């Protein structure tokens, strides 16, 4: 059993610490005999070592302790080659480190995520999924999407691709708590919270670290007491941050906190959201546009338990009804800013009426099942490929909403994409790198994919003896994620544009697209696989 705990570091003025020693052998990377010999030689000659006791020096500093930032920490803690890294996670919101403690019969938080099986695999690998299973979560095994005109619909089932579920709806605060619990069990990361970053100084050029081979340093660290936990007392700081503390000749990144502390690090991970200050300080440009829509979210009660994710495309934006357990569901309604404001201000009773009308009555009739098309599809099976099991499923009206149970929240929607995900000693992940429309619930899944890919890149850098903050190494991560994220972003943006118009030819094309997705088995399976994170 390892003697370790997660380190919550609160603002202080006097650096008082109490160090607990870890078992060195448990933190030792897996090394070959030749690598061990190289490490022994470096210790004998005094070369390729660092001042491991420096409290202000880290291998990785993650700015942002939300879901994706915590996922990076968990990923690094879960592999033998990276678990001896010295990592700090900085977050300014005290709620980030709060434990999830809601009872099963309490009202779920309105902030939820629909996570894919690919994300679930990552959470299992880093030891966080067990905590999710012990708390409230809702699997969904089918999805129904339809057009407000009533001309077409498509229904997907997990059975179409030989799976039992398409994904899970989980409260965001549960996901964060599960990831933090995984970190706490490993005693891996030092969480500095609440704390805010004032500025970050990046080295001007792409220079290699002067402290030698990181693999050898980690081997030295694993055999010392430097991986031990550190805790600090909460004391008020009155001294202002002093930017003169920066060493302009340092080829590491330097992170200045608002309380005056200065951290040195090989690699800064920007996980601080769509308005990323880290991205701005690194002068990484973004491209994108405002959708002139707000997403309104809340928790509602429905007429019966269901395990289907429903979504109706309206002229003003999509309206989704997601299962969150029992007879409760989550609403994600993308609409105009004016309509979102109106929906927040009306009474709960009036809101329930508006939701039901938007789901089933407004703009056009509900689609009808087309048995003749099903029969034709079966006749053409030899030409078009095997049909999916859901091809014969009729259109099913969503359950009626009976009550609004939570506060109604809203936020603006936009597409933003950093032109580059990396620079020297910096990697962006999650919303700091890209924000997308929530119509398919893919935003956080793309972020978890970023975390997994970055951890893989860091691991490979250590294995090959590279500097983990060197631009040449980080470019591998940047290119991989650009080629993965851009197609998904293009698809989501295309959906938003196609479904946001009443132009008759486009409306007819939409209906044809829905029907093709419903009745063409191979196409349906490819769509489902893509939506389930098959490319993450």
């Amino acid at each position: 059993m390892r003697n370790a705990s997660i380190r919550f570091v609160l603002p202080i003025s006097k650096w008082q610490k109490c160090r607990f020693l870890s078992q060195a052998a448990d933190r030792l990377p897996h090394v070959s005999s030749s690598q061990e010999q190289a490490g022994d030689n470096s210790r004998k000659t005094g070369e390729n070592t660092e001042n491991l006791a420096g409290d202000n020096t880290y291998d990785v500093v993650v700015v942002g302790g939300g879901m994706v930032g915590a996922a990076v920490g968990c990923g690094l803690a879960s592999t033998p080659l990276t678990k001896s890294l010295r990592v700090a996670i900085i977050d300014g919101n005290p709620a980030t480190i709060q434990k999830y403690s809601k009872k099963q019969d309490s009202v779920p938080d309105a902030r939820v995520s629909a996570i894919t099986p690919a994300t679930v695999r990552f959470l299992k690998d880093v030891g966080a999924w067990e905590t999710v299973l012990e708390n409230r979560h809702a699997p969904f095994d089918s999805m129904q999407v339809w057009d407000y005109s009533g001309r077409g619909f498509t229904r997907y089932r997990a059975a179409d691709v030989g799976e039992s579920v398409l994904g899970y709806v989980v409260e965001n605060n549960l996901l964060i708590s599960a990831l933090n619990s995984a970190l706490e069990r490993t005693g891996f990361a030092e969480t500095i919270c609440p704390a805010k970053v004032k500025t970050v100084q990046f080295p001007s050029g792409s220079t290699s670290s002067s402290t030698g081979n990181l693999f050898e340093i980690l081997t030295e660290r694993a055999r010392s007491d430097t991986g031990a936990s550190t805790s600090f007392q909460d004391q008020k700081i009155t001294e202002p941050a002093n930017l003169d503390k920066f060493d302009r000749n340092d080829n590491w990144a330097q992170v200045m906190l608002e309380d005056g502390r200065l951290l040195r690090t090989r690699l800064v991970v920007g996980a601080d959201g769509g308005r990323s200050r880290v991205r701005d300080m690194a002068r990484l440009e973004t491209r994108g546009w405002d959708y002139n829509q707000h997403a309104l979210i809340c928790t509602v009660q429905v007429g019966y338990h269901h395990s289907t994710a429903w979504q109706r495309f309206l002229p003003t934006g999509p309206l989704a009804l997601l299962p969150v357990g029992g007879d409760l569901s989550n609403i994600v309604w993308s609409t105009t800013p004016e309509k979102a404001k109106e929906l927040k201000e009306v009474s709960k009773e009036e809101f329930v009426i508006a939701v039901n009308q938007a789901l089933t009555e407004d703009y056009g009739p509900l689609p009808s099942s087309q048995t003749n098309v099903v029969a034709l599809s079966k006749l053409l099976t030899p030409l078009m490929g095997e049909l999916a099991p859901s091809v014969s499923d009729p259109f099913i009206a969503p359950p009626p909403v009976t009550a609004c149970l939570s506060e109604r929240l809203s936020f603006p929607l936009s597409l933003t994409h950093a032109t580059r995900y990396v620079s020297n000693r910096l990697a962006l992940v999650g919303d700091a790198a890209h924000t997308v429309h929530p119509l398919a619930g893919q935003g956080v899944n793309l972020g978890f994919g970023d975390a997994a890919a970055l951890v893989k890149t860091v691991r490979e850098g250590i294995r090959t003896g590279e500097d983990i903050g060197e631009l040449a190494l980080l470019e591998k991560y940047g290119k991989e994620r650009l080629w993965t994220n851009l197609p998904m972003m293009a698809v989501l943006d295309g959906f938003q544009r196609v479904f946001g118009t009443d132009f008759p030819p486009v409306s007819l094309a939409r209906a044809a697209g829905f029907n093709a997705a419903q009745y063409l088995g191979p196409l349906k399976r490819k769509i489902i696989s893509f939506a389930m994170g098959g490319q993450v």
Side-chain angles (χ1 to χ4, degrees):
M1 180 67 67
R2 297 178 56 188
N3 183 14
S5 63
I6 192 167
R7 291 157 280 180
F8 299 111
V9 184
L10 300 173
I12 63 170
S13 59
K14 296 180 181 178
W15 294 83
Q16 300 174 333
K17 65 179 182 178
C18 176
R19 184 174 297 281
F20 300 93
L21 300 182
S22 297
Q23 296 180 10
D26 191 41
R27 300 185 69 86
L28 181 64
H30 291 176
V31 298
S32 65
S33 58
S34 61
Q35 289 169 325
E36 281 192 2
Q37 184 63 43
D40 291 339
N41 290 339
S42 69
R43 289 191 295 278
K44 290 177 182 178
T45 61
E47 298 173 353
N48 294 334
T49 59
E50 64 171 324
N51 179 13
L52 298 176
D55 284 325
N56 71 326
T57 301
Y58 297 86
D59 299 304
V60 181
V61 170
V62 181
V63 181
M67 289 182 285
V68 178
V72 173
C74 284
L76 294 173
S78 65
T79 70
L81 278 175
T82 58
K83 69 177 183 178
S84 288
L85 292 170
R86 191 157 189 250
V87 177
I89 301 176
I90 303 170
D91 196 90
N93 184 4
T96 299
I97 57 177
Q98 292 179 356
K99 295 289 186 180
Y100 180 86
S101 59
K102 289 190 176 182
K103 297 180 180 179
Q104 291 289 340
D105 58 353
S106 63
V107 176
D109 192 84
R111 302 172 184 85
V112 303
S113 294
I115 59 174
T116 65
T119 293
V120 171
R121 288 193 295 271
F122 174 80
L123 295 175
K124 288 180 179 178
D125 289 342
V126 303
W129 185 242
E130 181 179 349
T131 301
V132 175
L133 292 179
E134 293 171 351
N135 291 277
R136 181 169 50 206
H137 63 287
F140 60 96
D141 54 18
S142 59
M143 177 181 294
Q144 182 173 281
V145 185
W146 68 101
D147 186 20
Y148 66 86
S149 69
R151 295 191 182 98
F153 79 98
T154 186
R155 187 172 179 85
Y156 307 105
R157 282 199 272 139
D160 292 334
V161 289
E163 299 290 341
S164 58
V165 297
L166 293 174
Y168 296 82
V169 180
V170 186
E171 292 164 76
N172 290 355
N173 52 15
L174 173 55
L175 286 171
I176 295 174
S177 181
L179 290 162
N180 283 334
S181 294
L183 281 173
E184 187 173 359
R185 287 192 296 270
T186 64
F188 174 71
E190 187 172 303
T191 300
I192 306 176
C193 180
K196 294 184 179 180
V197 172
K198 183 177 182 64
T199 189
V200 182
Q201 175 80 19
F202 294 100
S204 57
S206 180
T207 55
S208 297
S209 169
S210 61
T211 57
N213 186 292
L214 181 56
F215 185 93
E216 297 166 0
I217 293 170
L218 294 181
T219 302
E220 175 71 19
R221 183 180 300 165
R223 293 173 177 173
S224 70
D225 65 353
T226 57
S229 300
T230 303
S231 61
F232 299 95
Q233 300 297 319
D234 182 10
Q235 297 183 13
K236 187 176 181 181
I237 285 184
T238 57
E239 297 179 3
N242 182 5
L243 300 184
D244 291 336
K245 290 182 179 180
F246 282 132
D247 180 353
R248 305 299 176 181
N249 296 319
D250 195 342
N251 65 357
W252 285 27
Q254 301 170 79
V255 180
M256 175 71 74
L257 304 185
E258 287 190 348
D259 61 25
R261 277 173 287 174
L262 180 64
L263 313 180
R264 296 178 68 245
T265 182
R266 301 171 185 273
L267 173 62
V268 175
V269 177
D272 52 339
R275 298 180 179 180
S276 172
R277 294 186 66 243
V278 171
R279 181 188 64 212
D280 293 343
M281 286 184 282
R283 298 182 180 179
L284 293 180
E285 296 182 352
T286 61
R287 297 287 185 271
W289 42 83
D290 188 346
Y291 284 119
N292 194 31
Q293 288 184 339
H294 281 204
L296 181 141
I297 59 175
C298 65
T299 302
V300 298
Q301 187 175 42
V302 295
Y304 57 85
H305 167 77
H306 67 95
S307 59
T308 299
W310 317 82
Q311 188 167 57
R312 188 187 191 198
F313 281 94
L314 305 173
T316 54
L319 169 57
L321 185 69
L322 308 175
V324 292
D327 61 350
L328 303 180
S329 292
N330 181 264
I331 290 285
V332 184
W333 191 342
S334 302
T335 186
T336 64
E338 297 77 18
K339 182 67 173 179
K341 183 175 184 294
E342 176 189 333
L343 292 170
K344 288 177 64 176
E345 293 176 349
V346 299
S347 68
K348 289 187 175 182
E349 293 74 17
E350 291 173 308
F351 177 75
V352 167
I353 294 172
V355 171
N356 286 324
Q357 287 180 337
L359 280 172
T360 60
E361 299 176 19
D362 289 347
Y363 301 106
L366 295 177
S368 59
S369 303
Q370 302 181 36
T371 55
N372 57 332
V373 178
V374 175
L376 179 61
S377 299
K378 291 180 178 179
L379 289 175
L380 296 177
T381 293
L383 298 176
M384 298 190 303
E386 184 180 357
L387 298 178
S390 62
V391 68
S392 299
D393 288 357
F395 176 86
I396 301 174
V401 175
T402 58
C404 178
L405 304 179
S406 76
E407 180 184 6
R408 284 157 280 174
L409 307 173
S410 66
F411 50 90
L413 301 179
S414 63
L415 182 145
T416 306
H417 193 261
T419 55
R420 297 180 64 211
Y421 288 6
V422 299
S423 63
N424 194 32
R425 303 214 176 278
L426 171 66
L428 301 177
V429 294
D431 285 356
H434 45 74
T435 60
V436 297
H437 198 286
L439 62 88
Q442 289 298 320
V444 72
N445 294 294
L446 295 179
F448 279 120
D450 294 342
L454 181 59
V455 169
K456 181 183 71 173
T457 300
V458 171
R459 183 177 67 239
E460 289 304 304
I462 294 172
R463 185 182 64 81
T464 56
E466 298 176 76
D467 182 342
I468 62 172
E470 185 72 13
L471 181 58
L473 174 67
L474 296 176
E475 286 284 12
K476 299 176 183 178
Y477 157 77
K479 291 178 181 178
E480 176 185 344
R481 292 311 294 169
L482 277 170
W483 284 107
T484 300
N485 294 340
L486 282 175
M488 177 65 78
M489 295 179 74
V491 168
L492 298 180
D493 185 62
F495 276 158
Q496 166 57 25
R497 294 179 183 279
V498 167
F499 286 98
T501 178
D502 280 325
F503 189 51
V506 175
S507 180
L508 292 173
R510 282 200 308 261
F514 271 123
N515 291 323
Q518 173 66 4
Y519 301 114
L520 300 181
L523 175 61
K524 173 174 282 193
R525 279 185 282 270
K526 284 185 178 296
I527 293 173
I528 296 173
S529 178
F530 188 65
M532 291 175 68
Q535 297 191 14
V536 175

